[in-house]
């Protein structure tokens, strides 16, 4: 709720209030990804050796700090700093919550269904955040709404610290450094022996580069196309966001039984193909209404389905002692895609314009769909 509502307002704030260009917006995401990439695996190892709960609390405190300070500055350099801190905060959360609930539930046959329901809850919570925080920004000021969301995140971190329990997790024994290094090596060994994990990491690298760059450029594209007269950008983007989240929750419910097992690869490929079509539509839309429909297709169907499938895919192929670390490897693939593909798309946006940059994102979706059709053995040999 807080993260998505905050990002809605921030995405407009970066364009309208701070006046950032398309290349600057994508560059922020790429630099953010570099720092997060370096810290992702150490943060995952920390969660596996020390505590999943306290890793999540630390994430929320750092995230709150980044969220508050974003609303207090408008220069490119300062915003770059706040977004880097925001990216670092996610490294302590990615995988920690999934590993935590998997251990506490202690029911492998139920965890895929639980994670699918978790994803739907995230979408409905995000919709509430878009409405509440978007309405606050519309009724007051964008910078005020950004700061309020950050303060609320800080309170949430305190609530988790006081009220949540961690009963089944067993911290690593022995010296912390030695235990951390052993956990890291076990995680690397697990991934190297699994062609299916290698497949999903490669797909995640490509699709996150496409969706992150496209998502950052979408508000700029909508503003450039011209939003309906007398309609605040916050209201327009809030409406699109709520519709996309509702579509995503419905899509997850409809295909719930096809998110794991032997259905997962096909479902992932179909979702990536849908993302390619939607992003191409966003790139070459003649006006803001058709661009909004294309954005709903991408953010409401393609992105939620691929992320949930990847999460379930990895969780089913790892073990408790390296669960958070393996999820951190997945997040590292996300950040690497964000950095590599993001920088390339930023360069395209700077040299030839926004539509062709979005077309590049569509091409990455299409390549991912093709990869999911490759035989696992051939893909592993190429990787």
């Amino acid at each position: 709720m807080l993260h998505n509502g905050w990002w809605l307002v921030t995405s407009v704030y970066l364009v309208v209030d701070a006046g950032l260009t398309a290349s600057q917006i994508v560059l922020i995401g790429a630099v953010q990804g570099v720092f997060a990439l370096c810290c992702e695996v150490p943060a995952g190892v920390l969660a596996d050796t020390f505590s999943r709960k306290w890793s999540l609390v630390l994430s929320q405190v750092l995230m709150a700090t980044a969220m508050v300070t974003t609303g207090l500055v408008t220069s490119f350099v300062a915003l770059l700093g706040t977004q880097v801190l925001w990216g670092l905060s996610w490294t302590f959360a990615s995988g920690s919550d999934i590993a935590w609930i998997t251990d506490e539930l202690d029911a492998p046959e139920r965890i895929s269904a639980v994670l699918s329901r978790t994803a739907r809850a995230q979408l409905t919570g995000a919709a509430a955040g878009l409405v509440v925080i978007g309405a606050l920004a519309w009724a007051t000021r964008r910078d005020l709404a950004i700061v309020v969301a950050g303060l609320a995140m800080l309170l949430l971190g305190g609530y988790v610290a006081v009220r949540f329990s961690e009963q089944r997790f067993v911290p690593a024994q022995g010296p912390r450094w030695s235990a951390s290094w052993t956990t890291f090596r076990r995680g690397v060994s697990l991934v190297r022996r699994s062609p299916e994990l290698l497949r999903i990491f490669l797909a995640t690298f490509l699709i996150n580069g496409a969706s992150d760059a496209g998502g950052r450029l979408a508000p700029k594209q909508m503003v450039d196309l011209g939003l309906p007269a007398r309609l605040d950008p916050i209201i327009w983007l809030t409406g699109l966001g709520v519709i996309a989240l509702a579509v995503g929750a419905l899509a997850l419910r409809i295909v719930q039984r096809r998110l794991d097992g032997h259905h997962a690869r096909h479902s992932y490929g179909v979702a990536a193909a849908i993302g390619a079509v939607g992003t191409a539509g966003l790139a070459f839309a003649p006006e803001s209404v058709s661009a909004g429909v294309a954005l709903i297709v991408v953010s409401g169907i393609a992105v939620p389905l691929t992320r949930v499938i990847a999460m379930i895919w990895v969780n089913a192929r790892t073990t408790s002692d390296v669960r958070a670390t393996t999820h951190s490897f997945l997040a590292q693939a996300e950040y690497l895609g964000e950095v590599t593909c993001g920088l390339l798309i930023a360069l395209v946006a700077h040299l030839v314009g926004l539509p062709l940059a979005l077309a590049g994102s569509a091409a990455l979706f299409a390549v991912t769909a093709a990869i999911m059709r490759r035989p696992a053995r051939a893909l592993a040999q190429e990787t």
Side-chain angles (χ1 to χ4, degrees):
M1 176 178 178
L2 296 174
H3 152 64
N4 284 274
W6 174 85
W7 176 245
L8 164 73
V9 180
T10 299
S11 65
V12 178
Y13 180 81
L14 296 178
V15 175
V16 177
D17 299 286
L20 301 188
T21 65
S23 58
Q24 286 176 324
I25 292 170
V26 179
L27 184 61
I28 282 179
V31 174
Q32 179 192 81
V34 170
F35 282 87
L37 180 66
C38 296
C39 296
E40 181 61 52
V41 171
V45 172
L46 177 67
D48 275 332
T49 57
F50 178 65
S51 169
R52 279 82 183 262
K53 168 185 172 177
W54 290 108
S55 292
L56 189 59
V57 172
L58 176 60
S59 169
Q60 290 167 331
V61 171
L62 294 176
M63 190 178 298
T65 303
M67 291 167 72
V68 169
T69 52
T70 294
L72 303 179
V73 298
T74 55
S75 72
F76 171 70
V77 174
L79 288 170
L80 178 63
T82 65
Q83 295 302 290
V84 165
L85 179 59
W86 187 55
L88 290 177
S89 71
W90 279 105
T91 66
F92 293 96
S94 61
S96 299
D97 51 356
I98 301 171
W100 188 5
I101 193 172
T102 301
D103 287 347
E104 295 297 310
L105 181 65
D106 195 26
E109 72 281 359
R110 297 175 55 201
I111 188 60
S112 292
V114 169
L115 293 179
S116 178
R117 292 185 62 185
T118 298
R120 296 205 305 270
Q122 289 172 347
L123 293 175
T124 54
L130 295 183
V131 172
V132 173
I133 300 177
L136 177 63
W138 174 75
T140 57
R141 294 168 38 146
R142 283 183 284 268
D143 54 356
L144 176 62
I146 289 171
V147 171
V148 169
L151 295 175
M153 181 65 76
L154 185 62
L155 292 176
L156 176 62
Y159 179 79
V160 172
V162 173
R163 298 290 296 173
F164 281 32
S165 63
E166 188 174 30
Q167 300 177 357
R168 295 184 180 274
F169 175 71
V170 179
Q173 302 300 314
R176 293 295 184 192
W177 170 251
S178 177
S180 298
W181 178 245
T182 300
T183 299
F184 172 74
R185 289 174 57 191
R186 288 175 179 170
V188 171
S189 178
L190 174 68
V191 172
R192 291 181 63 183
R193 296 195 309 266
S194 174
E196 288 302 302
L197 284 177
L198 293 174
R199 177 195 295 275
I200 203 64
F201 286 170
L202 178 58
T204 298
F205 165 82
L206 293 171
I207 215 159
N208 194 73
S211 62
D212 184 81
R216 290 177 180 275
L217 292 175
K220 177 71 173 175
Q221 174 76 333
M222 303 291 289
V223 171
D224 288 351
L225 288 173
L227 298 177
R230 298 187 301 276
L231 188 61
D232 190 288
I234 287 291
I235 297 177
W236 179 247
L237 293 177
T238 297
L240 288 177
V242 170
I243 294 172
L245 291 166
V247 169
L250 179 61
L252 286 172
R253 178 176 291 276
I254 292 173
V255 302
Q256 179 174 341
R257 297 183 182 277
R258 303 184 64 85
L259 297 179
D260 59 356
H262 65 279
H263 297 295
R265 189 172 65 143
H266 176 73
S267 299
Y268 196 106
V270 171
I274 292 173
V277 174
T279 306
L282 177 64
F284 302 110
E287 33 71 37
S288 59
V289 173
S290 56
V293 173
L295 181 60
I296 290 171
V297 170
V298 177
S299 57
I301 299 177
V303 174
L305 287 180
T306 53
R307 286 181 176 171
V308 172
I309 294 171
M311 176 179 63
I312 294 175
W313 190 308
V314 170
N315 204 59
R317 291 166 174 80
T318 187
T319 55
S320 179
D321 59 328
V322 294
R323 193 176 304 279
T325 300
T326 310
H327 279 287
S328 290
F329 288 149
L330 178 67
Q332 205 171 36
E334 294 178 357
Y335 289 125
L336 191 59
E338 179 181 313
V339 173
T340 307
C341 302
L343 286 174
L344 179 61
I345 292 173
L347 180 62
V348 173
H350 177 72
L351 294 177
V352 296
L354 187 53
L356 289 181
L358 286 168
S361 293
L364 292 177
F365 273 109
V367 170
T368 306
I371 285 174
M372 298 309 287
R373 297 179 60 87
R374 294 298 305 275
R377 183 174 299 176
L379 183 70
Q381 291 174 350
E382 292 176 6
T383 306

